[in-house]
Amino acid sequence: MPEGAGRELVRSFTHVAAVQNNATMDVGSARVAVRWVGAGPPVRAEIITMPHRSEDSSHHEVSLGETFPVGEETWRFADLDMASADEWKVTVRRVDENEVLDPPTGRLWKPARLRPYGELDEARLQSLEAALGVRLPPSYRDWLRRNNGAQPEVEHHIPGVPFSLLPERPLFGVHPEHPPFDLVHAQRVHRDPWLSPNWLVIANPSGGLLVISTQSSDGSVYFVHEMDLVGPPGLPASAARERKLQGVARSMGYLVGRLTPVELDDLPPAQMMPPGTFTDPRNYGDGPR
């Protein structure tokens, strides 16, 4: 009897699957994962297949539209949708006799266009920390050392977060000769009226503030909406504002990876926000309620 005769073909239970970053998708005969993607050109990805009946895995580097094996079936890299360098979704589709080759519709992330201001040596970093009165989180300190802030070439945003970094509103660095871009100056002007010294303002984009914690070593970046920058000064009101912080990136590297040059097609339709959507200034009269 020929090899394989009488053996039933293991058929996947679906013909299409969407594989998120850092996740696997079960298609029946195997699990499918994606190790990396590239916006190209050409658009490429490394797709990993892990059959259920074997401990082996197969790696396939394919361009958009090309095929790869999943067990005894053939599948196609059909689409890629990228929200950022670290957040994306790959669509794969089983190749059947009646396959319809729909054109890809996913968006490709565009790398941030930032111009660093230079580098900082250890002496200037220590002088900065002395002026701020804090020890900078290691990941942010290293980013400052290598960049000393950065100026966007064009408007940038993170899809779904209501702020815009502009050429005239960059990521702050050590620029005492130009106070609007200087970290020490920024704390007096942008932080002290609204937030406690537990936070460091690293940018004043249109729409709010970008801040990091001075009490944590993880370097996560948070957003404060401009409509929450209201009310009286003082610790009770600051605490109420700080409870509304929105996390946007777990480090400066991830922030840069999420920043996207703005095009008109990227902008959501304008919306009228009802009263009370954000913070009511009266909530700060006697602290949080």
Side-chain angles (χ1 to χ4, degrees):
M1 179 179 294
E3 183 179 355
R7 180 166 55 87
E8 182 180 355
L9 173 66
V10 179
R11 185 76 166 167
S12 58
F13 60 74
T14 182
H15 73 285
V16 63
V19 187
Q20 303 277 359
N21 53 289
N22 301 321
T24 63
M25 178 61 66
D26 191 343
V27 299
S29 60
R31 288 180 296 123
V32 178
V34 181
R35 185 175 182 185
W36 55 261
V37 298
V43 177
R44 293 185 60 78
E46 182 179 348
I47 298 176
I48 306 170
T49 61
M50 296 161 279
H52 289 304
R53 299 182 179 181
S54 171
E55 295 183 358
D56 296 330
S57 62
S58 299
H59 295 236
H60 310 278
E61 293 189 20
V62 290
S63 296
L64 186 65
E66 291 182 343
T67 61
F68 58 95
V70 179
E72 297 180 337
E73 297 177 334
T74 299
W75 283 63
R76 189 182 307 279
F77 174 19
D79 209 347
L80 170 62
D81 191 19
M82 298 182 71
S84 73
D86 304 296
E87 184 179 355
W88 37 260
K89 178 179 67 177
V90 165
T91 300
V92 294
R93 187 174 58 227
R94 190 178 65 213
V95 177
D96 297 322
E97 292 182 1
N98 58 349
E99 179 189 15
V100 178
L101 293 176
D102 296 322
T105 59
R107 294 178 302 172
L108 299 179
W109 174 73
K110 306 174 187 68
R113 295 161 54 188
L114 303 178
R115 286 197 292 254
Y117 288 109
E119 298 181 359
L120 294 175
D121 60 24
E122 182 60 25
R124 294 187 72 189
L125 282 169
Q126 292 183 10
S127 177
L128 169 65
E129 290 178 321
L132 293 171
V134 299
R135 178 71 176 178
L136 297 172
S139 63
Y140 179 67
R141 194 178 196 271
D142 185 61
W143 184 85
L144 269 182
R145 178 185 60 80
R146 292 182 287 107
N147 297 277
N148 192 22
Q151 182 180 44
E153 294 182 6
V154 296
E155 181 179 350
H156 284 65
H157 73 145
I158 294 176
V161 186
F163 76 84
S164 295
L165 276 177
L166 306 167
E168 63 273 20
R169 294 192 176 204
L171 294 165
F172 296 139
V174 179
H175 307 290
E177 73 287 352
H178 192 57
F181 293 2
D182 184 62
L183 267 169
V184 175
H185 178 80
Q187 309 318 304
R188 294 195 296 266
V189 173
H190 302 298
R191 180 195 66 188
D192 293 348
W194 310 114
L195 303 172
S196 73
N198 292 339
W199 298 93
L200 186 74
V201 173
I202 63 169
N204 174 37
S206 174
L209 300 172
L210 293 179
V211 302
I212 62 173
S213 171
T214 60
Q215 306 300 301
S216 172
S217 61
D218 67 1
S220 294
V221 182
Y222 298 84
F223 172 65
V224 187
H225 198 286
E226 63 183 358
M227 295 186 71
D228 287 327
L229 301 177
V230 294
L235 291 179
S238 295
R241 295 183 191 100
E242 291 163 13
R243 284 195 293 271
K244 295 179 176 291
L245 294 176
Q246 176 183 354
V248 294
R250 64 190 188 194
S251 69
M252 289 300 293
Y254 276 87
L255 176 70
V256 172
R258 296 196 68 193
L259 287 172
T260 304
V262 172
E263 296 184 359
L264 292 179
D265 292 344
D266 297 331
L267 299 177
Q271 293 181 331
M272 296 296 291
M273 306 304 291
T277 299
F278 296 97
T279 300
D280 187 332
R282 293 172 296 181
N283 291 347
Y284 294 117
D286 299 309
R289 296 181 180 177

